[in-house]
Amino acid sequence: MEQLKVFAPATVANLSCGFDVLGCCLDSVGDEMLIKKNDLKTVRITRISGQDLPLEADKNVAGVAVNALLSELNIDQGFDIEIDKKIKPGSGIGSSAASSAGAVFAVNKIMGEPFTKQELISFAMKGELLASGNAHADNVAPALLGGFSLVRSYCPLEVLSLPVPEELRVVILHPLIEIKTKDSRSIIKQNISLKSAINQWGNLGAFVSALYTKDYDLIGRSLQDEIVEPIRSILIPYFNDLAALVAFNGALGFGISGSGPSVYALCRGDKNATKVKNAIQNFYSDKMIDFELHQSSINKSGVRIL
Ligand code: ADP
């Protein structure tokens, strides 16, 4: 195989109760990437459309992630990477993770799959390290594996795939203001109280249980975050109004997607998701802030070949 075109999906990380350890994969939006072998023994980003991002391989997450994979294989095969960037960087729906995950997935396929998808996570995390200064896995893992991912441990890396209740839908609002992951990480407190920790791990455990038992109400009750959200939500215009609005319209839960500014609502079924999406559309339309709104199912397969 000489080349491969892939769809690299957006993801929602944290999901309120699982800061840095929980994420899920979307299918409404994603980058398209074309990866080709070259004879130059080097990795090049040959074209990026849609966004102004670095073409130098060591400054682009796709190049960094692929180089991490190739150096583990210890071969000097080169690759050309073209990215049709559909996920805006700094949106909070895993723009950098999609490029890292898509690139390592494609290169691995072209090379005859020397690594499992699980093993690809650590290479893609090198891209996250470049993008945000922190090698977190809660976007790259669901982008690669699909569905919900839980990072049980970072060292050693252990990522679990969780079941996807069929009726779950996600509504994403992206107010078009840019918040860099680096900046939104820097405002988080480094120490938390025991009381907050107890509430948080109670909710995370309950959320995991609810995915297994398909208990939609418990999913809703578990989507709470008293550690990061109170600080980060200040950066997101009308966060509290949106939380009240989607609850009034029957969403299961609501919170910040990744590091924001996108926010997500989890809903049960397409009908409720459409109702929540329309309510957000009406509310945000007169707020003098451009925005994008998506409604998505949970993508169970992750990066896929086009
Ligand atoms: P997101 O949470 O949406 O991924 P981040 O702030 O984490 O946003 O990542 C965006 C940062 O990563 C930007 O500084 C961007 O320049 C950098 N970056 C490098 N390569 C890429 C890429 N291929 N796709 C997206 N962002 C990239």
Side-chain angles (χ1 to χ4, degrees), residues 31 53-54 59-62 83 85 88-97 99 128 130-132 178-182 259:
D31 295 347
L53 286 166
K59 297 205 177 100
N60 193 298
V61 297
I83 311 173
K85 198 77 208 161
K88 293 194 170 63
S91 54
I93 51 169
S95 175
S96 49
S99 287
E128 294 295 72
L130 173 77
S132 69
E178 190 172 342
I179 299 179
K180 286 262 193 301
T181 304
K182 257 182 197 158
S259 54

Side-chain angles (χ1 to χ4, degrees), residues 282-302:
N282 288 340
F283 173 80
Y284 235 66
S285 294
D286 63 2
K287 296 292 180 284
M288 311 299 281
I289 301 169
D290 289 336
F291 63 93
E292 288 173 354
L293 202 50
H294 307 273
Q295 180 176 335
S296 179
S297 334
I298 309 285
N299 170 347
K300 289 195 206 160
S301 52

Side-chain angles (χ1 to χ4, degrees), residues 41-295:
K41 302 186 176 176
T42 183
V43 173
R44 302 187 304 178
I45 312 293
T46 46
R47 190 179 65 85
I48 302 177
S49 60
Q51 292 294 325
D52 187 17
L53 286 166
L55 283 166
E56 299 94 321
D58 62 345
K59 297 205 177 100
N60 193 298
V61 297
V64 168
V66 168
N67 274 321
L69 183 157
L70 294 175
S71 66
E72 181 70 22
L73 273 184
N74 203 14
I75 52 163
D76 56 8
Q77 174 64 53
F79 286 91
D80 286 350
I81 302 173
E82 295 181 20
I83 311 173
D84 189 1
K85 198 77 208 161
K86 301 262 170 66
I87 315 171
K88 293 194 170 63
S91 54
I93 51 169
S95 175
S96 49
S99 287
S100 304
V104 294
F105 173 92
V107 166
N108 189 53
K109 276 267 179 224
I110 294 171
M111 299 305 292
E113 295 190 74
F115 299 107
T116 63
K117 276 189 185 181
Q118 280 275 349
E119 288 167 334
L120 294 179
I121 295 170
S122 57
F123 304 126
M125 284 167 68
K126 295 283 192 282
E128 294 295 72
L129 181 61
L130 173 77
S132 69
N134 177 277
H136 56 106
D138 50 346
N139 288 110
V140 290
L144 280 162
L145 305 175
F148 286 92
S149 299
L150 176 76
V151 186
R152 203 279 306 163
S153 156
Y154 271 95
C155 195
L157 184 67
E158 184 177 351
V159 177
L160 308 178
S161 284
L162 304 172
V164 179
E166 283 300 327
E167 294 173 64
L168 270 191
R169 299 291 180 271
V170 192
V171 177
I172 301 281
L173 165 70
H174 176 202
L176 294 181
I177 55 167
E178 190 172 342
I179 299 179
K180 286 262 193 301
T181 304
K182 257 182 197 158
D183 300 337
S184 64
R185 287 193 90 86
S186 68
I187 61 171
I188 298 170
K189 284 189 286 184
Q190 291 304 310
N191 294 298
I192 60 169
S193 70
L194 183 60
K195 186 178 155 290
S196 296
I198 290 168
N199 291 341
Q200 201 86 355
W201 62 54
N203 280 316
L204 180 58
F207 181 80
V208 172
S209 168
L211 292 182
Y212 277 92
T213 56
K214 304 181 183 59
D215 185 335
Y216 291 91
D217 291 336
L218 182 58
I219 288 175
R221 292 199 299 283
S222 312
L223 291 172
Q224 292 184 39
D225 172 12
E226 63 175 79
I227 295 174
V228 176
E229 183 179 291
I231 302 163
R232 277 193 175 165
S233 59
I234 295 163
L235 302 173
I236 299 168
Y238 304 101
F239 182 87
N240 292 331
D241 301 288
L242 287 163
L245 180 76
V246 303
F248 180 75
N249 282 279
L252 299 171
F254 172 82
I256 304 171
S257 174
S259 54
S262 289
V263 290
Y264 76 92
L266 274 194
C267 301
R268 180 172 188 174
D270 285 320
K271 200 169 156 209
N272 182 250
T274 304
K275 185 178 177 198
V276 167
K277 184 177 155 214
N278 289 342
I280 295 175
Q281 171 89 38
N282 288 340
F283 173 80
Y284 235 66
S285 294
D286 63 2
K287 296 292 180 284
M288 311 299 281
I289 301 169
D290 289 336
F291 63 93
E292 288 173 354
L293 202 50
H294 307 273
Q295 180 176 335

